[in-house]
Amino acid sequence: MDNIIHIGHWLTETERDASLTVDLADSECIRNAVIQMQAFIDQLKMRHLDLIRILDESQNKIVRERSEVMTVECNRILGECQRRKMTLTKMLEESRAWDKLRKSLTFWLTDAQERVTDGNKVDAADVQTLKQELAEIQGIAETAGEMRLKMDELNERSNALLDNYRADEGHSLSHAISKLNALWSKFNDNVRIRRAVLEAALRARSDFHSALAQLEEWMNGVEASLAELNEITMNAQLLKDSVKRKKWIEDEKVKVYIAYGGKSTS
Protein backbone atom coordinates (compact mmCIF):
# COMPACT_ATOMS: atom_id res chain seq x y z
CA MET A 1 0.00 0.00 0.00
CA ASP A 2 2.88 2.35 0.79
CA ASN A 3 4.25 1.75 -2.68
CA ILE A 4 0.89 2.73 -4.21
CA ILE A 5 0.79 5.93 -2.14
CA HIS A 6 4.35 6.76 -3.16
CA ILE A 7 3.50 6.24 -6.84
CA GLY A 8 0.46 8.49 -6.40
CA HIS A 9 2.58 11.32 -5.00
CA TRP A 10 5.15 10.84 -7.73
CA LEU A 11 2.46 11.00 -10.44
CA THR A 12 1.15 14.27 -8.99
CA GLU A 13 4.64 15.82 -8.96
CA THR A 14 5.39 14.54 -12.45
CA GLU A 15 2.19 16.00 -13.87
CA ARG A 16 2.98 19.33 -12.24
CA ASP A 17 6.56 19.39 -13.54
CA ALA A 18 5.48 18.31 -17.01
CA SER A 19 3.09 21.25 -17.22
CA LEU A 20 5.78 23.87 -16.58
CA THR A 21 6.05 26.48 -19.32
CA VAL A 22 9.14 27.37 -21.35
CA ASP A 23 10.56 30.59 -22.79
CA LEU A 24 9.73 30.68 -26.51
CA ALA A 25 12.86 32.72 -27.25
CA ASP A 26 15.20 30.30 -25.43
CA SER A 27 15.82 27.28 -27.66
CA GLU A 28 18.22 25.77 -25.12
CA CYS A 29 15.50 25.90 -22.47
CA ILE A 30 13.07 24.22 -24.87
CA ARG A 31 15.64 21.56 -25.73
CA ASN A 32 16.14 20.77 -22.04
CA ALA A 33 12.38 20.55 -21.63
CA VAL A 34 12.21 17.99 -24.46
CA ILE A 35 14.90 15.92 -22.77
CA GLN A 36 13.12 16.19 -19.42
CA MET A 37 9.82 15.20 -21.00
CA GLN A 38 11.38 12.09 -22.49
CA ALA A 39 12.73 11.23 -19.04
CA PHE A 40 9.19 11.58 -17.61
CA ILE A 41 7.85 9.32 -20.36
CA ASP A 42 10.45 6.65 -19.61
CA GLN A 43 9.76 6.82 -15.88
CA LEU A 44 5.99 6.71 -16.40
CA LYS A 45 6.33 3.58 -18.47
CA MET A 46 8.35 2.00 -15.68
CA ARG A 47 5.77 3.07 -13.07
CA HIS A 48 3.05 1.63 -15.25
CA LEU A 49 4.84 -1.72 -15.26
CA ASP A 50 5.16 -1.52 -11.47
CA LEU A 51 1.41 -0.97 -11.16
CA ILE A 52 0.68 -3.90 -13.48
CA ARG A 53 2.95 -6.09 -11.37
CA ILE A 54 1.15 -5.02 -8.18
CA LEU A 55 -2.20 -5.83 -9.78
CA ASP A 56 -0.95 -9.27 -10.72
CA GLU A 57 0.64 -10.07 -7.38
CA SER A 58 -1.59 -8.43 -4.78
CA GLN A 59 -4.68 -10.14 -3.42
CA ASN A 60 -5.71 -7.14 -1.36
CA LYS A 61 -8.88 -5.64 -2.78
CA ILE A 62 -8.08 -2.08 -1.68
CA VAL A 63 -4.57 -2.31 -3.06
CA ARG A 64 -5.87 -3.65 -6.36
CA GLU A 65 -8.49 -0.90 -6.61
CA ARG A 66 -5.92 1.77 -5.87
CA SER A 67 -3.56 0.19 -8.38
CA GLU A 68 -6.24 0.26 -11.06
CA VAL A 69 -6.91 3.94 -10.36
CA MET A 70 -3.18 4.71 -10.43
CA THR A 71 -2.81 2.76 -13.68
CA VAL A 72 -5.47 4.89 -15.37
CA GLU A 73 -3.89 8.04 -13.93
CA CYS A 74 -0.45 6.93 -15.07
CA ASN A 75 -1.69 6.34 -18.62
CA ARG A 76 -3.38 9.73 -18.66
CA ILE A 77 -0.25 11.56 -17.54
CA LEU A 78 1.85 9.50 -19.95
CA GLY A 79 -0.37 10.64 -22.81
CA GLU A 80 -0.04 14.26 -21.69
CA CYS A 81 3.74 13.98 -21.55
CA GLN A 82 3.90 12.41 -24.99
CA ARG A 83 1.75 15.18 -26.45
CA ARG A 84 3.78 17.81 -24.63
CA LYS A 85 6.99 16.33 -25.99
CA MET A 86 5.61 16.50 -29.53
CA THR A 87 4.63 20.12 -28.96
CA LEU A 88 8.03 20.98 -27.50
CA THR A 89 9.85 19.25 -30.36
CA LYS A 90 7.91 21.27 -32.93
CA MET A 91 8.39 24.40 -30.83
CA LEU A 92 12.15 23.77 -30.67
CA GLU A 93 12.41 23.54 -34.45
CA GLU A 94 10.45 26.77 -34.93
CA SER A 95 12.32 28.58 -32.17
CA ARG A 96 15.70 27.64 -33.63
CA ALA A 97 14.67 28.87 -37.08
CA TRP A 98 13.37 32.09 -35.52
CA ASP A 99 16.55 32.64 -33.51
CA LYS A 100 18.82 31.94 -36.49
CA LEU A 101 16.96 34.48 -38.61
CA ARG A 102 16.93 37.01 -35.76
CA LYS A 103 20.68 36.72 -35.22
CA SER A 104 21.35 37.06 -38.95
CA LEU A 105 19.25 40.22 -39.17
CA THR A 106 20.73 41.67 -35.99
CA PHE A 107 24.28 41.15 -37.26
CA TRP A 108 23.52 42.74 -40.63
CA LEU A 109 21.63 45.66 -39.10
CA THR A 110 24.37 46.40 -36.57
CA ASP A 111 27.06 46.37 -39.26
CA ALA A 112 25.01 48.46 -41.70
CA GLN A 113 24.10 50.95 -38.98
CA GLU A 114 27.77 51.50 -38.16
CA ARG A 115 28.62 52.03 -41.84
CA VAL A 116 25.85 54.61 -42.18
CA THR A 117 26.65 56.56 -39.02
CA ASP A 118 30.46 56.44 -39.36
CA GLY A 119 30.55 58.51 -42.56
CA ASN A 120 32.80 61.51 -43.16
CA LYS A 121 31.74 65.03 -42.27
CA VAL A 122 30.34 66.49 -45.47
CA ASP A 123 31.98 69.88 -44.91
CA ALA A 124 35.43 68.33 -44.74
CA ALA A 125 34.98 65.79 -47.57
CA ASP A 126 35.78 66.41 -51.21
CA VAL A 127 33.35 65.73 -54.05
CA GLN A 128 34.85 62.33 -54.89
CA THR A 129 34.56 61.16 -51.28
CA LEU A 130 30.96 62.34 -51.12
CA LYS A 131 30.13 60.48 -54.33
CA GLN A 132 31.74 57.28 -53.05
CA GLU A 133 29.87 57.46 -49.76
CA LEU A 134 26.58 58.16 -51.53
CA ALA A 135 27.15 55.12 -53.74
CA GLU A 136 27.77 53.02 -50.62
CA ILE A 137 24.61 54.34 -48.96
CA GLN A 138 22.60 53.55 -52.08
CA GLY A 139 24.05 50.03 -52.07
CA ILE A 140 23.06 49.58 -48.43
CA ALA A 141 19.56 50.85 -49.23
CA GLU A 142 19.21 48.31 -52.05
CA THR A 143 20.33 45.48 -49.78
CA ALA A 144 17.90 46.76 -47.15
CA GLY A 145 15.10 46.10 -49.61
CA GLU A 146 16.05 42.42 -49.61
CA MET A 147 16.45 42.38 -45.84
CA ARG A 148 12.96 43.86 -45.51
CA LEU A 149 11.60 40.54 -46.76
CA LYS A 150 13.53 38.74 -44.03
CA MET A 151 12.21 41.18 -41.43
CA ASP A 152 8.68 40.40 -42.61
CA GLU A 153 9.43 36.70 -42.34
CA LEU A 154 10.82 37.13 -38.82
CA ASN A 155 7.72 39.04 -37.72
CA GLU A 156 5.52 36.32 -39.18
CA ARG A 157 7.49 33.63 -37.35
CA SER A 158 7.26 35.63 -34.13
CA ASN A 159 3.50 35.98 -34.43
CA ALA A 160 3.14 32.28 -35.22
CA LEU A 161 5.13 31.27 -32.13
CA LEU A 162 3.11 33.59 -29.91
CA ASP A 163 -0.20 32.43 -31.38
CA ASN A 164 0.55 28.70 -31.44
CA TYR A 165 2.04 28.48 -27.95
CA ARG A 166 -0.02 30.91 -25.92
CA ALA A 167 0.37 28.86 -22.73
CA ASP A 168 4.14 29.31 -22.78
CA GLU A 169 6.22 32.39 -22.02
CA GLY A 170 6.39 34.83 -24.92
CA HIS A 171 7.57 37.96 -23.10
CA SER A 172 11.24 37.60 -24.05
CA LEU A 173 10.37 36.87 -27.66
CA SER A 174 8.04 39.88 -27.86
CA HIS A 175 10.71 42.10 -26.31
CA ALA A 176 13.40 40.82 -28.70
CA ILE A 177 11.30 41.35 -31.82
CA SER A 178 10.16 44.80 -30.66
CA LYS A 179 13.78 45.80 -30.06
CA LEU A 180 14.81 44.57 -33.50
CA ASN A 181 11.91 46.36 -35.20
CA ALA A 182 12.92 49.57 -33.42
CA LEU A 183 16.51 49.11 -34.62
CA TRP A 184 15.22 48.50 -38.14
CA SER A 185 13.16 51.71 -38.10
CA LYS A 186 16.08 53.73 -36.76
CA PHE A 187 18.37 52.27 -39.40
CA ASN A 188 16.00 53.21 -42.23
CA ASP A 189 15.66 56.74 -40.84
CA ASN A 190 19.45 57.08 -40.68
CA VAL A 191 19.81 55.85 -44.26
CA ARG A 192 17.24 58.37 -45.52
CA ILE A 193 18.82 61.23 -43.57
CA ARG A 194 22.39 60.38 -44.60
CA ARG A 195 21.44 60.03 -48.25
CA ALA A 196 19.59 63.36 -48.16
CA VAL A 197 22.59 65.07 -46.53
CA LEU A 198 25.03 63.66 -49.10
CA GLU A 199 22.79 64.55 -52.03
CA ALA A 200 22.31 68.08 -50.68
CA ALA A 201 26.07 68.47 -50.19
CA LEU A 202 26.77 67.32 -53.74
CA ARG A 203 24.11 69.67 -55.12
CA ALA A 204 25.63 72.54 -53.15
CA ARG A 205 29.10 71.71 -54.48
CA SER A 206 27.70 71.46 -58.01
CA ASP A 207 25.87 74.79 -57.65
CA PHE A 208 29.03 76.41 -56.27
CA HIS A 209 31.22 75.15 -59.11
CA SER A 210 28.58 76.18 -61.64
CA ALA A 211 28.37 79.67 -60.14
CA LEU A 212 32.16 79.85 -60.01
CA ALA A 213 32.40 78.87 -63.67
CA GLN A 214 29.85 81.54 -64.57
CA LEU A 215 31.76 84.10 -62.52
CA GLU A 216 35.03 83.16 -64.22
CA GLU A 217 33.35 83.41 -67.61
CA TRP A 218 31.96 86.84 -66.73
CA MET A 219 35.31 88.03 -65.41
CA ASN A 220 37.04 86.80 -68.56
CA GLY A 221 34.49 88.73 -70.60
CA VAL A 222 35.03 91.84 -68.51
CA GLU A 223 38.79 91.46 -68.87
CA ALA A 224 38.45 91.18 -72.64
CA SER A 225 36.17 94.21 -72.74
CA LEU A 226 38.63 96.22 -70.65
CA ALA A 227 41.49 95.23 -72.91
CA GLU A 228 39.48 96.27 -75.96
CA LEU A 229 38.46 99.53 -74.31
CA ASN A 230 42.05 100.22 -73.35
CA GLU A 231 43.15 99.65 -76.92
CA ILE A 232 40.44 101.96 -78.23
CA THR A 233 41.37 104.59 -75.66
CA MET A 234 45.03 104.41 -76.64
CA ASN A 235 44.12 104.76 -80.32
CA ALA A 236 41.91 107.73 -79.53
CA GLN A 237 44.71 109.37 -77.59
CA LEU A 238 47.12 108.82 -80.45
CA LEU A 239 44.60 110.30 -82.84
CA LYS A 240 44.10 113.27 -80.58
CA ASP A 241 47.85 113.81 -80.30
CA SER A 242 48.18 113.61 -84.08
CA VAL A 243 45.49 116.27 -84.57
CA LYS A 244 47.16 118.54 -82.03
CA ARG A 245 50.54 118.10 -83.73
CA LYS A 246 49.10 118.89 -87.13
CA LYS A 247 47.40 122.02 -85.77
CA TRP A 248 50.67 123.14 -84.14
CA ILE A 249 52.51 122.76 -87.42
CA GLU A 250 49.87 124.79 -89.21
CA ASP A 251 50.06 127.48 -86.54
CA GLU A 252 53.83 127.66 -86.85
CA LYS A 253 53.55 128.02 -90.59
CA VAL A 254 51.18 130.94 -90.13
CA LYS A 255 53.55 132.62 -87.68
CA VAL A 256 56.46 132.27 -90.07
CA TYR A 257 54.39 133.62 -92.91
CA ILE A 258 53.41 136.66 -90.91
CA ALA A 259 56.97 137.22 -89.75
CA TYR A 260 58.19 137.47 -93.31
CA GLY A 261 55.45 139.85 -94.23
CA GLY A 262 53.50 137.40 -96.06
CA LYS A 263 56.46 136.64 -98.32
CA SER A 264 57.64 133.29 -99.25
CA THR A 265 60.36 131.87 -97.07
CA SER A 266 62.16 130.27 -99.98
Side-chain angles (χ1 to χ4, degrees), residues 96-125:
R96 281 174 171 170
W98 174 87
D99 194 46
K100 181 179 180 180
L101 183 57
R102 181 189 65 82
K103 287 179 178 177
S104 173
L105 280 165
T106 301
F107 177 81
W108 182 86
L109 266 177
T110 302
D111 177 68
Q113 182 81 303
E114 290 178 356
R115 289 160 60 193
V116 171
T117 56
D118 289 347
N120 295 292
K121 291 184 177 180
V122 294
D123 294 339

